[in-house]
Amino acid sequence: MALADDLPPREGMDFDVVIVGAGPAGLATAIRLKQLAAAAGSELSVVVLEKGSEVGAHILSGAVIDPVGLTALIPDWKEKGAPVDTPVSEDRFYYLGPAGSIRIPNFIMPPLMNNHGNYIVSLGNLCRWLGEQAGELGVEIYPGFAAAEVLYDEKGAVTGVATGDMGIGKNGEPTDRFTRGMELKGKYTIIAEGARGSLAKALMAKFALAEGRQPQKYGIGLKELWEVRPEMHRPGLVQHTLGWPLDDGTGGGSFLYHYGANLVSVGFVVHLNYRNPYLSPFGEFQRFKTHPLIRETFAGGRRIAYGARALTEGGWQSIPRLVFPGGVLVGCAAGFMNVPRIKGSHNAMLSGIAAAEAAFAAIAAGRAHDRLDAYEQGVLTGPISRDLRRVRNAKPMLAKFGTALGTALSGADMWANTLIPGIGLGYTLKHGKPDHATLEPASRSKAITYPRPDGVLTFDRLTDVSFSATNHEEDQPAHLKVADMALQQSSEHDVFAGPSGRYCPAAVYEWVEEDGKPRFVINAQNCVHCKTCDIKDPNQNINWTVPEGGGGPNYSGM
Ligand SMILES: Cc1cc2nc3c(=O)[nH]c(=O)nc-3n(C[C@H](O)[C@H](O)[C@H](O)COP(=O)(O)OP(=O)(O)OC[C@H]3O[C@@H](n4cnc5c(N)ncnc54)[C@H](O)[C@@H]3O)c2cc1C
Ligand code: SF4
């Protein structure tokens, strides 16, 4: 058989618009493109590639959604049966100590934090429904196909993407399953990969899209879905906490949303600018569930799903250039998450709509493969900008002053931005270091011992991962590429004591002792595609690339 470098040419397909990622951003783009074409009586071919085995399989979110994006896209979503059924009925916010809690009164919370009018949903199920709406409009959606490579023309403009080859074995050679990837070309290519997209990362580097911006900041969000006893279920209750089990210098907090048929989404976010390499976000999440305020909710209930995903936290000052020749970034691939509101899905949809409108107008004018500057201007002056500008100092304040003081100061700042819209106190704080540069050496850090899981309320990582239904073809090259194994040992292991073994929510990385020497083991088949390793490895020595399409978690209802 031929070596992977010596493969037959790829077949190609041409479309008007190629969209990478069937999350809220990509699906909103596709739907609005088709709506515009139908209104104009014109034909427009739109394709969406999704690396999950089905639409929604890789979507993990809270989620309390602000329906502003959905309503702008499909005003009659209620009549059309969108799975958006649980309105928020109560908002609670607590600061936790090890044994007690203080409830922060709702009236001192900045109004933008109020969830009145919002809904508790499974974002994965909402995406499944959006996928159906897109399909009915004639969008071609290909789940199980990962976009692995960006295609360029001779002038350097993006002309589309190529899907990965299937059936390349561990040794890099084609197997019996071999199928060559496809080239999908479009007049415009929309990158809707969500937080830390692998193609977005390559495009940012090639076109220097992040130059002059503050570094993007991230968090890792871990989530379990529980079915609780009916007497513990309070449909519409939205509860957030700060504080314990994190120390004041480590940012993060929890969410707990009651919705559907006795369902509770419980999750924990740890900001990835944490310093102690011994910290385990998974361990903090498990410990959080044991707090007296929390544990009662789950007594007699059962965990039905688990997963994890990175989220963007840089906000306004970290938004990269959104356009490049031949395409744009939308949704969390561009970083439109509002951190204090813990919401990004509304901006993902609004950005998809804006991108569709710019691409449709350009195609109607006979253009292709150029810059959709109208999209960037629309985002920077429209509702996404207004949403993000008023919270722009919240994340830097938490990072600078710690959770307690930082929350108080950012609350005051958000109030000022509410009372003096568009201006606030007039300053924009910087983020400082990127998240991969914040770890302290292990020698200067305190080891953390996490309690043993009880298997009822708290779990070990591997058991939890089995509730993500993650599956990858075993005979394929590892999709987690370590550029320099010697550096991994001399720095990640020797200096930082192997933080990958703790930050990875799926127990992919381990350092094992072999012949008296440490060896880095990568259990790539467990990977839930959260992208944390790509973000937090202290040397940026791990590169997350797409595995074979269809691999990864098979989230249901996340
Ligand atoms: C723990 C957590 C809690 C959250 N809570 C809330 C909340 O309560 N409310 C809220 O509004 N927002 C919340 N968010 C944020 C929200 O989930 C995101 O803002 C939103 O999902 C972003 O949408 P997106 O379409 O940009 O990306 P995503 O939803 O990440 O979707 C991207 C899609 O693209 C696919 N993809 C990626 N790369 C490729 C590729 N190369 N080829 C093919 N397919 C690809 C992925 O598989 C995925 O399906 C939360 C996020 C997390 C992690
Ligand atoms: S290997 Fe990386 S992307 Fe995969 S689950 Fe672990 S940290 Fe997340």
Side-chain angles (χ1 to χ4, degrees):
M1 278 241 179
L3 281 171
D5 287 343
D6 186 23
L7 295 170
R10 291 184 287 226
E11 282 182 28
M13 286 166 86
D14 288 320
F15 297 88
D16 288 306
V17 181
V18 174
I19 300 170
V20 179
L27 292 168
T29 313
I31 290 171
R32 178 49 54 96
L33 279 165
K34 282 293 197 178
Q35 289 170 338
L36 290 167
S42 55
E43 286 290 317
L44 192 83
S45 54
V46 180
V47 67
V48 181
L49 293 177
E50 170 52 53
K51 66 181 165 58
S53 61
E54 54 156 350
V55 174
H58 286 185
I59 301 293
L60 182 136
S61 193
V64 173
I65 63 158
D66 177 341
V68 60
L70 181 59
T71 302
L73 185 66
I74 304 178
D76 54 348
W77 53 265
K78 255 185 203 156
E79 294 72 21
K80 286 193 160 139
V84 179
D85 306 315
T86 309
V88 176
S89 56
E90 194 182 350
D91 249 328
R92 291 185 195 169
F93 207 87
Y94 292 90
Y95 186 83
L96 300 187
S101 58
I102 300 170
R103 178 152 179 205
I104 303 172
N106 287 9
F107 70 85
I108 66 166
M109 301 296 287
L112 62 92
M113 303 282 286
N114 189 325
N115 276 309
H116 183 75
N118 297 333
Y119 292 83
I120 308 175
V121 302
S122 150
L123 194 63
N125 288 348
L126 181 56
C127 286
R128 286 181 179 91
W129 182 83
L130 288 172
E132 286 163 21
Q133 306 305 303
E136 281 170 22
L137 290 168
V139 175
E140 291 179 53
I141 305 185
Y142 296 133
F145 286 89
E149 193 186 322
V150 180
L151 304 172
Y152 301 92
D153 66 13
E154 61 290 348
K155 290 191 198 133
V158 172
T159 56
V161 296
T163 62
D165 297 329
M166 311 277 268
I168 301 280
K170 265 196 168 101
N171 56 5
E173 289 191 31
T175 67
D176 296 346
R177 298 184 300 111
F178 179 72
T179 320
R180 191 74 168 107
M182 295 275 296
E183 295 195 350
L184 295 104
K185 295 197 167 174
K187 293 174 180 147
Y188 293 101
T189 301
I190 313 294
I191 303 296
E193 296 174 295
R196 196 69 168 200
S198 45
L199 298 187
K201 184 175 158 186
L203 286 162
M204 288 212 211
K206 181 167 171 75
F207 294 107
L209 300 179
E211 206 173 85
R213 277 28 181 199
Q214 285 295 294
Q216 185 54 271
K217 305 294 281 181
Y218 297 91
I220 175 175
L222 304 107
K223 169 175 165 179
E224 289 170 0
L225 184 62
W226 280 71
E227 187 180 6
V228 299
R229 280 185 297 142
E231 57 270 37
M232 300 315 298
H233 196 237
R234 298 189 172 44
L237 172 63
V238 163
Q239 183 170 302
H240 292 112
T241 71
L242 288 173
W244 190 88
L246 299 177
D247 62 31
D248 195 57
T250 307
S254 78
F255 60 86
L256 204 117
Y257 305 149
H258 292 244
Y259 73 111
N262 297 322
L263 297 177
V264 174
S265 279
V266 57
F268 202 82
V269 174
V270 175
H271 299 182
L272 286 175
N273 59 356
Y274 71 81
R275 291 192 290 270
N276 186 337
Y278 291 111
L279 184 139
S280 155
F282 181 85
E284 300 295 336
F285 175 34
Q286 296 306 313
R287 185 140 57 178
F288 153 76
K289 284 185 291 170
T290 66
H291 193 277
L293 180 76
I294 308 299
R295 63 179 313 138
E296 200 46 32
T297 302
F298 303 107
R302 67 185 183 103
R303 161 205 48 178
I304 51 181
Y306 165 78
R309 180 79 173 94
L311 40 95
T312 60
E313 294 186 341
W316 176 250
Q317 48 276 62
S318 301
I319 296 178
R321 293 301 310 270
L322 301 173
V323 301
F324 46 84
V328 303
L329 305 174
V330 293
C332 281
F336 295 143
M337 171 97 181
N338 181 319
V339 178
R341 296 183 74 200
I342 330 179
K343 288 184 187 64
S345 62
H346 61 304
N347 286 340
M349 288 190 218
L350 291 172
S351 65
I353 293 170
E357 288 170 354
F360 184 78
I363 292 169
R367 288 165 47 196
H369 305 144
D370 60 0
R371 297 163 56 92
L372 294 171
D373 288 321
Y375 163 65
E376 184 164 275
Q377 282 151 17
V379 168
L380 297 182
T381 54
I384 298 175
S385 147
R386 287 194 288 281
D387 189 52
L388 297 182
R389 279 173 72 95
R390 59 195 174 151
V391 301
R392 67 192 183 281
N393 292 320
K395 166 80 182 176
M397 278 175 165
L398 285 172
K400 209 170 165 58
F401 300 108
T403 301
L405 182 58
T407 303
L409 292 173
S410 67
D413 189 78
M414 286 189 271
W415 266 111
N417 284 312
T418 306
L419 299 172
I420 322 169
I423 303 170
L425 297 179
Y427 56 83
T428 301
L429 296 175
K430 295 187 169 164
H431 285 309
K433 294 180 196 170
D435 293 334
H436 68 85
T438 61
L439 284 179
E440 296 280 350
S443 58
R444 295 211 299 267
S445 308
K446 204 169 155 227
I448 305 175
T449 312
Y450 291 96
R452 288 177 76 83
D454 63 14
V456 178
L457 174 65
T458 57
F459 309 103
D460 64 73
R461 253 183 303 190
L462 282 177
T463 316
D464 244 0
V465 174
S466 68
F467 282 75
S468 66
T470 296
N471 183 39
H472 288 95
E473 165 59 45
E474 298 243 339
D475 191 15
Q476 64 173 308
H479 66 283
L480 303 147
K481 314 275 185 211
V482 180
D484 180 347
M485 232 2 141
L487 175 66
Q488 202 63 12
Q489 185 178 327
S490 64
S491 176
E492 212 261 349
H493 178 271
D494 294 356
V495 177
F496 296 103
S500 55
R502 290 175 282 272
Y503 64 60
C504 173
V508 168
Y509 300 108
E510 299 174 79
W511 283 99
V512 296
E513 199 72 13
E514 224 173 60
D515 301 328
K517 289 192 189 132
R519 187 168 73 84
F520 198 46
V521 176
I522 304 177
N523 304 301
Q525 70 280 3
N526 284 359
C527 175
V528 295
H529 298 200
C530 75
K531 314 282 178 79
T532 302
C533 49
D534 196 276
I535 298 163
K536 190 63 180 168
D537 177 74
N539 305 293
Q540 293 283 272
N541 197 26
I542 300 179
N543 192 27
W544 190 97
T545 65
V546 284
E548 278 190 12
N554 284 288
Y555 295 138
S556 153
M558 296 290 263

